[in-house]
């Protein structure tokens, strides 16, 4: 270690070094705070990454990466907070019609769901083929800790192909803006 005869010289060297480091750092005193990112409850972020899921009975679709997954015998349920995507594939002898969905799936939803209100049942064209779409609202399951429930908006697509029926059920808190993400997921379904 060099020996300095003059303590003032040591102090000048130290201060010069600190000033040089400090001038390289950007000034932050005048920087405006960045607003916190806010997504309403249930909104799937626009930058959400999607991955391909393959159901055990023969269908594929895009689902949100990172959501929890609960496998079933004929598909899976993907969830994140109050958002759910449920895919189920089962054998079927014919394509669904608005009439048989009205008396079948829609009637079952009303009878066994939580305050289900059916808004619309219609035939639609998806990229993967023809489907019947059910738009409805339903109460969520009670929270296991608080027993709180919220109102959910939901859509179910029933897509037929290769002797199978794929059911895609998507739910989110009422008012969530998931139109684009739900459209992308429903159009990604391929029954094999």
């Amino acid at each position: 270690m060099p020996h300095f005869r003059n303590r003032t010289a040591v102090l000048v060297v130290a201060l010069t070094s600190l000033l040089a480091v400090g001038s390289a750092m950007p000034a932050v005193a005048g920087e405006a705070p960045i607003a916190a990112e806010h997504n309403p409850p249930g909104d799937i972020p626009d930058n959400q990454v999607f991955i391909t899921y393959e159901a055990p009975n023969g269908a594929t679709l895009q689902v949100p990466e990172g959501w929890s997954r609960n496998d079933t015998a004929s598909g899976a349920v993907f969830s994140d907070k109050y958002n759910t995507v449920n895919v189920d594939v089962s054998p079927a002898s014919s394509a669904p019609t608005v009439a048989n969905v009205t008396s079948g799936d829609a009637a079952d939803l009303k009878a066994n769901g939580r305050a289900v209100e059916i808004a619309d049942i219609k035939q639609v064209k998806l990229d993967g083929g023809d489907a019947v779409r059910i738009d409805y609202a339903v109460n969520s399951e009670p929270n296991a800790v608080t027993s709180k429930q919220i109102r959910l908006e939901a859509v179910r697509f029933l897509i037929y192909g290769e002797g199978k029926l794929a059911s895609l059920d998507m739910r989110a808190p009422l008012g969530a803006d998931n139109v684009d993400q739900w459209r992308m997921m429903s159009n990604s379904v391929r029954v094999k």
Side-chain angles (χ1 to χ4, degrees), residues 27-167:
V28 293
E31 186 174 324
I34 297 172
E37 192 174 327
H38 174 69
N39 291 324
D43 275 12
I44 299 172
D46 291 338
N47 62 352
Q48 173 68 52
V49 174
F50 290 82
I51 58 172
T52 301
Y53 166 74
E54 187 164 344
N57 293 343
T60 60
L61 74 147
Q62 296 293 300
V63 296
E65 182 180 51
W67 285 22
S68 68
R69 173 175 156 181
N70 183 16
D71 290 322
T72 65
S74 55
V77 179
F78 300 87
S79 60
D80 180 58
K81 300 174 195 75
Y82 286 105
N83 284 303
T84 59
V85 174
N86 184 353
V87 61
D88 184 82
V89 182
S90 57
S93 58
S94 62
T97 65
V98 170
N100 66 24
V101 168
T102 300
S103 62
D105 279 63
D108 185 52
L109 277 171
K110 275 190 84 69
N112 299 309
R114 295 184 172 274
V116 171
E117 294 175 342
I118 305 289
D120 196 14
I121 303 171
K122 61 186 172 191
Q123 190 82 31
V124 296
K125 288 204 177 288
L126 298 175
D127 291 349
D130 292 339
V132 174
R133 175 181 172 145
I134 307 170
D135 291 288
Y136 65 101
V138 61
N139 289 344
S140 69
E141 294 295 322
N143 181 288
V145 175
T146 65
S147 297
K148 179 183 174 185
Q149 290 178 278
I150 64 168
R151 194 69 173 156
L152 303 172
E153 59 186 316
V155 60
R156 179 176 291 178
F157 291 93
L158 300 162
I159 308 128
Y160 176 79
E162 306 296 323
K164 301 170 189 166
L165 182 66
S167 174

Side-chain angles (χ1 to χ4, degrees), residues 12 21 23 40 69 76 94 108 111 132 137 144 175 191-192:
V12 169
V21 170
S23 65
R69 173 175 156 181
S94 62
D108 185 52
V132 174
V191 181
K192 308 194 252 182

